[in-house]
Amino acid sequence: MGLLYTKMKMFHFKEKIDSLSKESDKILPPLHIRIKPTNVCGHNCKYCAYRVDNLQLGKDMNVGDYIPKEKMMEIVDDIEEMGVKAITFSGGGDPFYYPYLLDTVKRLAKANIKFASLTNGSKLSGEIAEIFAHKAIWLRISIDGWDDESYSTYRSVPIGEFTKIMNNMEHFKKLKGKCYLGVSLIVDRQNAGQVYKFIRRLKDVGADSVKVSPCIVSNDGDENNVYHQPIFNRVKELVHKAIADFSSTSFEIFDSYHALDNKFRKNYDWCPYLQILPIIGADSNIYPCQDKAYNLDEGLIGSIKDQRFKNFWFSGKSKFFKINPSKVCNHHCVANEKNKMILEYLNADKIHLEFV
Ligand code: SF4
């Protein structure tokens, strides 16, 4: 298997990268869209960035919002026509709680558009599990608690939910589809000591990979680092030991547990990545990224409530330059490193290009 999390994937789409700047008069479709079909979720994770009050992410989110079925089908028609290459379903809520997810993914599969989803795994069963197993490219389950009791504490769910999710994962892999099953293990002070043993358990239930990431507790990078400082070395040690003992050609462990400040401060004034991977929210608004979703003051690019997505996207370029990251994005941002790479690429001096 090739590199899954490399930042270089976008450079396989050179025409798109070359179209991003203000100077280019081209607007090309997004390569990939994250759709948040619903804000409803059956779990109530204590650290959920969309629901806690101290993070800017999700500050204007309505938990009952979802994309109406007709609008979703219209979006799928548009992205097929536009040539969008991939869709990821994510929260707000849990995409598997969206009542029209099955209809939507059947349409995507028919249109040969690649799709994937994040989920808590509690509804990963029946026909929706079958279609994901055989048609989706990947599925990623977010987990924190390592047994029934701890899981219930993290998520305010009844005892037994953890066991159900482990069983769902195991059953999903037995469907023998090609869908890559990843787990996102969110590490905080409570589960830090469990990392090694829990990765082993996840391998045993059949996960293809585990990505270990820090729990985000603040908009401020330094405050996050202060929070993680007492557990940082211990977690690194456990992850490295897990990599040494458990990783193989069929089970990968991604160590994304790192200090956070390099993802927080921005010194550029436009965001190229928002034209590559924008968000369609459950409120039918368009946002630049998953770190600015449901922030109406600083993150709203537009709305498709009363217009089609394709019409919105191709109607002029100025909307893509409304957000000045150096002013409003000095918080966690998954695209920061990619933005810096694109800007450096676009800013290369044209006269000196050949002097490589
Ligand atoms: S700079 Fe980062 S946080 Fe800001 S809009 Fe772009 S991707 Fe989102």
Side-chain angles (χ1 to χ4, degrees), residues 2-13:
L3 301 175
L4 290 184
Y5 289 104
T6 170
K7 299 177 180 71
M8 298 302 223
K9 283 185 272 188
M10 60 192 177
F11 289 111
H12 288 263
F13 303 92

Side-chain angles (χ1 to χ4, degrees), residues 169-197:
M169 287 171 63
E170 202 163 2
H171 177 71
F172 185 73
K173 287 311 289 184
K174 287 186 178 150
L175 294 173
K176 299 282 177 216
K178 288 197 182 134
C179 180
Y180 186 91
L181 180 63
V183 171
S184 173
L185 176 56
I186 311 296
V187 177
D188 68 357
R189 289 181 183 175
Q190 194 185 336
N191 63 8
Q194 305 294 328
V195 166
Y196 178 82
K197 272 192 288 183

Side-chain angles (χ1 to χ4, degrees), residues 202-228:
L202 293 166
K203 182 178 182 177
D204 289 345
V205 298
D208 294 308
S209 73
V210 176
K211 182 181 182 194
V212 185
S213 307
C215 182
I216 307 291
V217 297
S218 165
N219 287 325
D220 180 81
D222 292 336
E223 283 181 17
N224 278 288
N225 292 336
V226 166
Y227 173 85
H228 284 277

Side-chain angles (χ1 to χ4, degrees), residues 72-73 76 87 89 96 98 100-113 115-117 127-129 131-132 135-136:
M72 181 63 93
M73 295 303 140
V76 177
I87 298 296
F89 297 100
F96 278 61
Y98 182 55
Y100 314 114
L101 185 65
L102 187 59
D103 295 316
T104 308
V105 295
K106 279 182 177 170
R107 270 286 287 113
L108 289 171
K110 199 165 159 220
N112 274 325
I113 297 169
F115 65 90
S117 188
E127 196 180 356
I128 193 76
I131 192 159
F132 266 82
K135 301 288 183 186

Side-chain angles (χ1 to χ4, degrees), residues 111-354:
N112 274 325
I113 297 169
K114 292 182 177 178
F115 65 90
S117 188
L118 311 180
T119 178
N120 60 34
S122 78
K123 287 186 175 281
L124 183 62
S125 59
E127 196 180 356
I128 193 76
E130 289 276 348
I131 192 159
F132 266 82
H134 296 287
K135 301 288 183 186
I137 301 296
W138 57 265
L139 189 68
R140 193 158 71 228
I141 297 190
S142 56
I143 294 195
D144 29 57
W146 60 94
D147 57 18
D148 266 313
E149 202 171 302
S150 58
Y151 193 85
S152 298
T153 316
Y154 270 102
R155 293 174 179 247
S156 303
V157 290
I159 295 282
E161 187 76 351
F162 174 83
T163 301
K164 180 172 95 179
I165 286 160
M166 291 290 127
N167 290 342
N168 282 352
M169 287 171 63
E170 202 163 2
H171 177 71
F172 185 73
K173 287 311 289 184
K174 287 186 178 150
L175 294 173
K176 299 282 177 216
K178 288 197 182 134
C179 180
Y180 186 91
L181 180 63
V183 171
S184 173
L185 176 56
I186 311 296
V187 177
D188 68 357
R189 289 181 183 175
Q190 194 185 336
N191 63 8
Q194 305 294 328
V195 166
Y196 178 82
K197 272 192 288 183
F198 194 33
I199 291 176
R200 175 66 209 244
R201 173 96 194 259
L202 293 166
K203 182 178 182 177
D204 289 345
V205 298
D208 294 308
S209 73
V210 176
K211 182 181 182 194
V212 185
S213 307
C215 182
I216 307 291
V217 297
S218 165
N219 287 325
D220 180 81
D222 292 336
E223 283 181 17
N224 278 288
N225 292 336
V226 166
Y227 173 85
H228 284 277
Q229 194 274 331
I231 57 170
F232 192 83
N233 290 340
R234 178 73 180 135
V235 173
K236 287 306 251 189
E237 194 185 305
L238 292 174
V239 174
H240 290 159
K241 187 167 157 49
I243 291 172
D245 293 351
F246 309 139
S247 62
S248 68
T249 48
S250 58
F251 182 71
E252 299 176 275
I253 300 167
F254 300 100
D255 181 6
S256 289
Y257 187 77
H258 42 60
L260 288 159
D261 9 343
N262 67 339
K263 286 189 189 292
F264 282 56
R265 296 184 193 108
K266 318 285 178 308
N267 62 0
Y268 44 89
D269 63 7
W270 66 285
C271 171
Y273 209 68
L274 67 82
Q275 294 177 63
I276 293 179
L277 171 49
I279 307 292
I280 300 177
D283 52 5
S284 298
N285 284 330
I286 309 297
Y287 298 98
C289 64
Q290 66 256 41
D291 287 298
K292 272 276 181 247
Y294 304 121
N295 182 330
L296 295 174
D297 306 325
E298 298 174 345
L300 184 67
I301 303 181
S303 167
I304 55 167
K305 261 188 211 110
D306 302 318
Q307 63 179 324
R308 297 189 71 113
F309 179 68
K310 64 179 178 185
N311 296 342
F312 162 79
W313 190 259
F314 292 121
S315 64
K317 219 165 168 177
S318 59
K319 59 184 176 287
F320 298 140
F321 300 93
K322 287 191 347 194
I323 292 174
N324 181 341
S326 71
K327 293 217 161 78
V328 299
C329 301
N330 292 310
H331 49 70
H332 182 264
C333 161
V334 283
N336 188 30
E337 294 304 309
K338 292 176 205 163
N339 272 342
K340 288 195 278 190
M341 288 161 74
I342 296 169
L343 290 167
E344 185 169 337
Y345 167 86
L346 291 174
N347 288 335
D349 187 276
K350 301 292 176 289
I351 293 175
H352 288 250
L353 266 191
E354 292 75 11

